[in-house]
Each structure stands twice: as structure tokens, then as C-alpha cells.
């Protein structure tokens, strides 16, 4: 089997399928720094059309995707969609703040055959496969007037293929690159180390940071929105579990999975979250989540607790210990805490949560074991709503991978341990219920801490096990871009958990207004093909 995604500056730029026109000429905006909300203002003022916006992003993709490998496919109908939305605008009809704004989808978010794109999860067995109908979140985006621009790369099977695989790699897409990192991936570093783009929503984060689109959709089971958003200096919200529909998205665990926004600004994050959540949630704010933005004044509504970075940090083998990098991350975290302490209504240092080891069940992570328990049934259910798939079940996927090991199980990443384990699960046993009870019990520590310390939000280092507490509790979490390390230029950040998305948007808005602005990447500009 041969999949040609090509490479080169003005060749295919590692794109499968349709190749966009490349129009040279003067830029009307900087795709690296212009947010969706600013583009919307320019559209409203008649300074731009959506077709012109698309062309600028196409140029950026064709210049740099060959190196970054962030985008897998582009939608052949996007230009026609942009023209139709431009016509609606001329006639006075604007559907939402996303009207005429391009957006990229992670390559596990299903689109119907009319979109002209696969839905693969980075797995060669699913090349050519589409969902019978759009995932509900795709229809919500279209109804809001967003332009579905294409699909981004990801860590294969949402980083649930097997152990020992580097973040940002898939058999289909290859290894993606963090646009901030000088020299690209360091293969002597850990699988999620200082040179990593993070995972599994790697391509979505890279694409937004590198100016391939103003916003993108990622998905998270445990950390897959927070991690790449932190590594690309972006804002994201992982909403409360169950608040955004999972249908039509390649799953790991329907209990843990959720899609979310990845953007350069809080306003864009809030506007995109509003569309993804839709109208059916009673606690969503009237007028959308952007109404929760209070700027720096928002600190006076927030009682904040922070986690000890000596306890919550990244560790080997995921990340090689680099003393100067680790010390700079620790120092930046503590300085961030001091700034929050000065600004917040109330502040509590060293909030205590149950230790990460409490998530272990029978000697291993209960959260990972739940994924193993859930994957087969949830994946098989997803496949029942697809067309043109080469496999019809998780068992067939495992067998297909074995039969094509030369392509999908290469020497450097030869295993599919999680997939193999998932197909031998005894679904009639009581183990899943026990795992759920254990996870829920330990996850309650977050709610207990919010109550004990009488705080609204818990903030901690993003490069840590903190995301597991959000997965276990079902509470929403978010990223907070903090700075950049001298070692190789990579971004670092904080993460936060609260009872509601409204609180997190208020926090992000206050943070954005009072901390140094994010800096767009530049290292990749010399790495283009």
C-alpha cells in the first residue's frame, strides 16, 4: 500500500488529496499574529473577504507544512464555502463571530463524503474512510458560518496505539514538528520531552501557532488539548465531560473523550467554545462564553489556589531531565504564582490533592485501564457509522496493522500494545465498573479541595499529571501560556481546573490581560522545505 503525501515548498507540502492554489502578492494581514476576532472586524469593515483570508492561510501552509507536517488534508470545497459566506455578508446576513472564519479539524473528527476528506486518526487502515454524516460539532460549526478548511495531523490513534511512541507521530502523517523549537525534534529526548509538540492534538496546535489557520479543533481524553496547547503557547478549554457531543469522532473512551478549541486568544477560545457547546446547555451564559471575559478586573472575582511544582511536574522517561530547563520552568511557575497572589481576590498556596499514585488500580493507572476497557466497543460503534473503511472492528484494525507491519509498525515504533490489549477485554466482567468507581472516588479530591480551601479555581504546572484530575473529576480545565525556556525556545504554561467554563474564561481573560503576551514562533521559518 502506498500513500503519497509528497513534500516541498510549492509541491504537495505533505498534503494528501486536493492541493490549493497559491496566490503570490502582498499580504493583507499577518497569519501568525491576527486572531479570528480581528479578522472578523476586518471582514465587517470590508477590508477583507473570506476568500482572501483562505488564500493567505493556503500560502502559509504551502510554504511551511512540508517541514511542520501539521495539516494532513485540505477541503476542496472551502473556497466555494468562503464565496457563499462572503455573499451572505454582503446581503447583511452574518451568522456568528465565526462567520467566514477558517477552521481546521483534528483528523479524528468525522466529515461526510461531500467534504472530500478522510477521517483516519493517523492510521493507514482508515485512509479513504469517512463518516456517513458530519460529526454534530462539524454541523454546529457550519451553522455558525465557519469555513471547514481541512484536517490536521495527530499522534496516531489519539496516542492510544501503543507504548514507546513519540508525541506527534503517526504511520500516516509522519513526525510533526513544534514550530518554536530550534533544531526540531531531539531524538535523544523523552517521548514527550522539551522538543515535543505535545499530543495527541499535535497538528491542531502546530497549525494555529504557525499561522495555518486562526483556530482549530482538538480532542482530549487525558491531556490531549492541554499538552499541545501549552507546547504551542495557545489557549484551550477542555469543557465539562458530556457538554460537547462525541458522535462522529474516532474515540478512545466515550466516558473521557471531549473535543475543544485551540486558539491564540481568549476571545477566540470563548467564541469557538460557544459554538461547540451549542444551545442545549442550561448553564451556558446568555450571549456566549465571551461575556465571561472581564479582563484584569476578573481577578477580583477569583479565589485561586495553586499546586506545589515540586510535586506536580513532568518526569522521566516522558521528558529527559535537563537541569537548566527544569529550573527555569520551576522559577517561571513560582513567579507566575506570585503575580496571581498579588492580583486575585484570595490566594491559597500549595493546595493539597490526593497523590497521583492513588489513581493506580491493581498496580497500574486506572484511567489508562478504563481506556483499554472502553476502546473496542466505542471504536466498533464509531465504525458502524463510516463508509469505505478497510476495517469494521477494533479486532480487524489490529489484524490489519499486523499484516502491514512494515508500514504501520516500523522499527522505531513496533508495537500496538494498547490496541492489542483492548481486543482481549472481557466486557462481561465487573472490572470496568470497579475502575469507574475508583477513578470517580479519587477524582473527587478536586471538588473536595475547592470546598476545603473555599476557592474557585486550582492552578498548577501544565507539564505535569494535573490533567488526570480533570479527566477523573469530569470538571473543565484550561491552559494559560506563561513563557518560553532558553534551552530550546519551547513554550511553558500553567493549567487550571474549576467547577465551570465561565470561571475558566474569566481566569483566562484576567491572565491574558495581566501577563506578558504570547510570542508567535519563529524557529520553523528557517526549517521550511
Amino acid at each position: 500500500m502506498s500513500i503519497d503525501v509528497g513534500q516541498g515548498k510549492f509541491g504537495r507540502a505533505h498534503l494528501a488529496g486536493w492541493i490549493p492554489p497559491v496566490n503570490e502578492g502582498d499580504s493583507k494581514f499577518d497569519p501568525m499574529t491576527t486572531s479570528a476576532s480581528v479578522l472578523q472586524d476586518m471582514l465587517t469593515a470590508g477590508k477583507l473577504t473570506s476568500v482572501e483570508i483562505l488564500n493567505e492561510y493556503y500560502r502559509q501552509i504551502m510554504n511551511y507544512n512540508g517541514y511542520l507536517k501539521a495539516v494532513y488534508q485540505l477541503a476542496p470545497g472551502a473556497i466555494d464555502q468562503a464565496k457563499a459566506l462572503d455573499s451572505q455578508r454582503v446581503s447583511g446576513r452574518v451568522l456568528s463571530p465565526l462567520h467566514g472564519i477558517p477552521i481546521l479539524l483534528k483528523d479524528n473528527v468525522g466529515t461526510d463524503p461531500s467534504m472530500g476528506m478522510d477521517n483516519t486518526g493517523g492510521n493507514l487502515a482508515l485512509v479513504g474512510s469517512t463518516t456517513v454524516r458530519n460529526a454534530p460539532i462539524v454541523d454546529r460549526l457550519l451553522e455558525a458560518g465557519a469555513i471547514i478548511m481541512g484536517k490536521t495531523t495527530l499522534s496516531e490513534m489519539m496516542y492510544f496505539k501503543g507504548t514507546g511512541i513519540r508525541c506527534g507521530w503517526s504511520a500516516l502523517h509522519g513526525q510533526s514538528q513544534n514550530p518554536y523549537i530550534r533544531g526540531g525534534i531531539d531524538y535523544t529526548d523523552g517521548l514527550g520531552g522539551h522538543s515535543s509538540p505535545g499530543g495527541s492534538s499535535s497538528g491542531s496546535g502546530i497549525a494555529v501557532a504557525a499561522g495555518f489557520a486562526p483556530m482549530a479543533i482538538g480532542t482530549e481524553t487525558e491531556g490531549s488539548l492541554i499538552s499541545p496547547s501549552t507546547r504551542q503557547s495557545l489557549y484551550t478549554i477542555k469543557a465539562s465531560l458530556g457538554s460537547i457531543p462525541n458522535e462522529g469522532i474516532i474515540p478512545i473512551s466515550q466516558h473521557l473523550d471531549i473535543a475543544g478549541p485551540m486558539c491564540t486568544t481568549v476571545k477566540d477560545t470563548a467564541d469557538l467554545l460557544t459554538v461547540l457547546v451549542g444551545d442545549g446547555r442550561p448553564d451556558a451564559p446568555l450571549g456566549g462564553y465571551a461575556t465571561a471575559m472581564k479582563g484584569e478586573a476578573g481577578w477580583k472575582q477569583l479565589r485561586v489556589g495553586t499546586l506545589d511544582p515540586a510535586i506536580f511536574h513532568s518526569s522521566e522517561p516522558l521528558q529527559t531531565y535537563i537541569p537548566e530547563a527544569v529550573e527555569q520552568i520551576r522559577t517561571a511557575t513560582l513567579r507566575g504564582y506570585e503575580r496571581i497572589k498579588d492580583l486575585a481576590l484570595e490566594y491559597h498556596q500549595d493546595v493539597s490533592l490526593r497523590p497521583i499514585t492513588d489513581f493506580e488500580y491493581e498496580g497500574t493507572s486506572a484511567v489508562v485501564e478504563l481506556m483499554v476497557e472502553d476502546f473496542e466497543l466505542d471504536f466498533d460503534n464509531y465504525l458502524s457509522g463510516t463508509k469505505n473503511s478497510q476495517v469494521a472492528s477494533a479486532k480487524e484494525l489490529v489484524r490489519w496493522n499486523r499484516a502491514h507491519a512494515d508500514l504501520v509498525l516500523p522499527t522505531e515504533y513496533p508495537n500496538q500494545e494498547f490496541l492489542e490489549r483492548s481486543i482481549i477485554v472481557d466486557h462481561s466482567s465487573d472490572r470496568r465498573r470497579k475502575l469507574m468507581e475508583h477513578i470517580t472516588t479519587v477524582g473527587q479530591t478536586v471538588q473536595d479541595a475547592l470546598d476545603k480551601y473555599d476557592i474557585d479555581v486550582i492552578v498548577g504546572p501544565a507539564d505535569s499529571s494535573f490533567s488526570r484530575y480533570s479527566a477523573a473529576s469530569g470538571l473543565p480545565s484550561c491552559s494559560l501560556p506563561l513563557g518560553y525556556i532558553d534551552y530550546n525556545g519551547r513554550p511553558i504554561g500553567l493549567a487550571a481546573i474549576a467547577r465551570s467554563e465561565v470561571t475558566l474564561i474569566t481566569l483566562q481573560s484576567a491572565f491574558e490581560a495581566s501577563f506578558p503576551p504570547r510570542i508567535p514562533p519563529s524557529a520553523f521559518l528557517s526549517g521550511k522545505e
Side-chain angles (χ1 to χ4, degrees):
M1 181 178 186
S2 176
I3 303 296
D4 176 21
V5 293
Q7 54 188 303
K9 179 179 176 182
F10 289 109
R12 297 186 63 84
H14 280 281
L15 295 172
W18 180 75
I19 299 299
V22 179
N23 297 326
E24 294 297 332
D26 294 335
S27 300
K28 293 192 174 183
F29 67 94
D30 182 351
M32 297 277 291
T33 59
T34 309
S35 67
S37 59
V38 170
L39 289 174
Q40 190 62 248
D41 291 342
M42 295 175 74
L43 286 165
T44 300
K47 296 178 180 179
L48 272 177
T49 66
S50 292
V51 171
E52 290 171 329
I53 292 173
L54 266 184
N55 285 334
E56 189 63 49
Y57 288 121
Y58 287 152
R59 180 162 47 187
Q60 190 80 348
I61 290 168
M62 296 306 292
N63 274 336
Y64 300 107
N65 195 60
Y67 170 67
L68 292 174
K69 296 184 181 67
V71 178
Y72 167 54
Q73 281 184 318
L74 292 172
I79 293 176
D80 289 339
Q81 190 186 359
K83 290 177 180 176
L85 290 163
D86 282 337
S87 295
Q88 286 187 26
R89 184 181 298 275
V90 169
S91 67
R93 187 179 181 213
V94 176
L95 300 173
S96 84
L98 302 190
H99 186 110
I101 302 296
I103 187 168
L104 288 164
L105 310 175
K106 186 177 177 179
D107 189 19
N108 67 333
V109 179
T111 49
D112 72 32
S114 70
M115 289 275 193
M117 296 182 291
D118 304 340
N119 198 46
T120 74
N123 195 294
L124 282 158
L126 296 180
V127 169
S129 171
T130 67
T131 45
V132 173
R133 61 186 61 85
N134 288 330
I137 63 168
V138 175
D139 284 334
R140 289 180 181 182
L141 290 167
L142 292 171
E143 289 164 6
I147 300 169
I148 306 301
M149 190 180 181
K151 297 282 187 80
T152 63
T153 62
L154 70 159
S155 308
E156 187 167 340
M157 294 306 293
M158 299 71 67
Y159 212 45
F160 187 72
K161 183 181 183 182
T163 56
I165 300 174
R166 193 169 294 277
C167 287
W169 181 88
S170 75
L172 174 58
H173 306 136
Q175 178 64 58
S176 59
Q177 298 284 345
N178 187 324
Y180 282 92
I181 303 305
R182 299 185 294 272
I185 290 288
D186 177 0
Y187 287 95
T188 67
D189 197 1
L191 299 174
H194 295 293
S195 66
S196 172
S200 66
S201 303
S202 318
S204 294
I206 296 164
V208 174
F212 292 178
M215 49 177 54
I217 300 296
T219 65
E220 173 159 329
T221 307
E222 184 204 341
S224 291
L225 285 166
I226 300 296
S227 165
S229 293
T230 299
R231 293 307 181 94
Q232 268 73 223
S233 196
L234 301 176
Y235 290 96
T236 190
I237 290 271
K238 193 216 87 172
S240 305
L241 291 177
S243 62
I244 295 170
N246 285 330
E247 292 90 344
I249 301 174
I250 301 176
I252 296 177
S253 165
Q254 287 288 344
H255 175 75
L256 299 173
D257 297 342
I258 192 163
M262 301 175 76
C263 306
T264 60
T265 69
V266 179
K267 175 65 163 61
D268 289 356
T269 304
D271 287 340
L272 185 46
L273 180 66
T274 298
V275 172
L276 295 177
V277 169
D279 298 327
R281 189 170 174 189
D283 61 344
L286 187 65
Y289 285 101
T291 61
M293 297 176 61
K294 309 298 181 185
E296 191 165 343
W299 288 117
K300 297 311 175 186
Q301 300 179 14
L302 295 170
R303 298 164 297 170
V304 181
T306 56
L307 300 174
D308 184 353
I311 298 173
F312 286 84
H313 57 83
S314 188
S315 59
E316 295 185 282
L318 185 66
Q319 186 177 106
T320 301
Y321 180 71
I322 307 293
E324 63 268 35
V326 170
E327 177 57 25
Q328 188 175 357
I329 293 169
R330 186 190 72 85
T331 300
T333 298
L334 293 175
R335 286 175 179 167
Y337 287 178
E338 285 298 315
R339 178 71 172 146
I340 292 171
K341 180 180 179 180
D342 290 342
L343 293 167
L345 175 64
E346 293 182 17
Y347 177 80
H348 294 270
Q349 186 175 342
D350 293 345
V351 166
S352 176
L353 299 176
R354 290 182 62 169
I356 192 68
T357 52
D358 282 6
F359 282 107
E360 291 186 5
Y361 182 84
E362 297 178 345
T364 189
S365 165
V367 176
V368 174
E369 290 302 303
L370 180 65
M371 298 178 199
V372 171
E373 291 277 340
D374 284 352
F375 177 77
E376 181 181 23
L377 295 181
D378 289 346
F379 184 64
D380 288 0
N381 182 60
Y382 163 80
L383 287 174
S384 69
T386 64
K387 297 180 64 174
N388 303 319
S389 176
Q390 299 178 76
V391 297
S393 68
K395 288 184 172 67
E396 288 187 16
L397 174 64
V398 168
R399 290 196 293 267
W400 194 97
N401 286 346
R402 291 173 188 159
H404 299 84
D406 58 325
L407 295 173
V408 300
L409 299 172
T411 303
E412 64 269 35
Y413 306 127
N415 86 82
Q416 53 174 342
E417 177 185 341
F418 292 139
L419 300 181
E420 295 270 6
R421 288 184 57 211
S422 75
I423 64 171
I424 61 173
V425 165
D426 178 5
H427 296 294
S428 65
S429 78
D430 202 31
R431 190 166 187 264
R432 186 191 184 282
R433 180 187 62 80
K434 292 177 180 177
L435 286 166
M436 277 294 304
E437 289 179 351
H438 183 78
I439 291 166
T440 302
T441 298
V442 180
Q444 179 63 32
T445 188
V446 179
Q447 191 70 256
D448 292 345
L450 291 168
D451 293 339
K452 174 183 177 181
Y453 297 99
D454 191 24
I455 53 179
D456 303 303
V457 62
I458 301 171
V459 174
D463 273 332
S464 73
S465 56
F466 194 22
S467 59
R468 183 157 298 180
Y469 294 83
S470 175
S473 66
L475 293 175
S477 60
C478 74
S479 63
L480 301 165
L482 184 61
Y484 310 86
I485 61 173
D486 298 332
Y487 171 69
N488 64 357
R490 86 155 170 99
I492 58 174
L494 303 174
I497 298 177
R499 294 183 180 90
S500 76
E501 293 80 3
V502 168
T503 299
L504 291 179
I505 291 291
T506 299
L507 171 69
Q508 286 184 315
S509 172
F511 189 94
E512 184 180 43
S514 47
F515 278 74
R518 70 178 295 276
I519 301 170
S522 60
F524 77 100
L525 297 173
S526 61
K528 66 177 182 175
E529 295 183 359

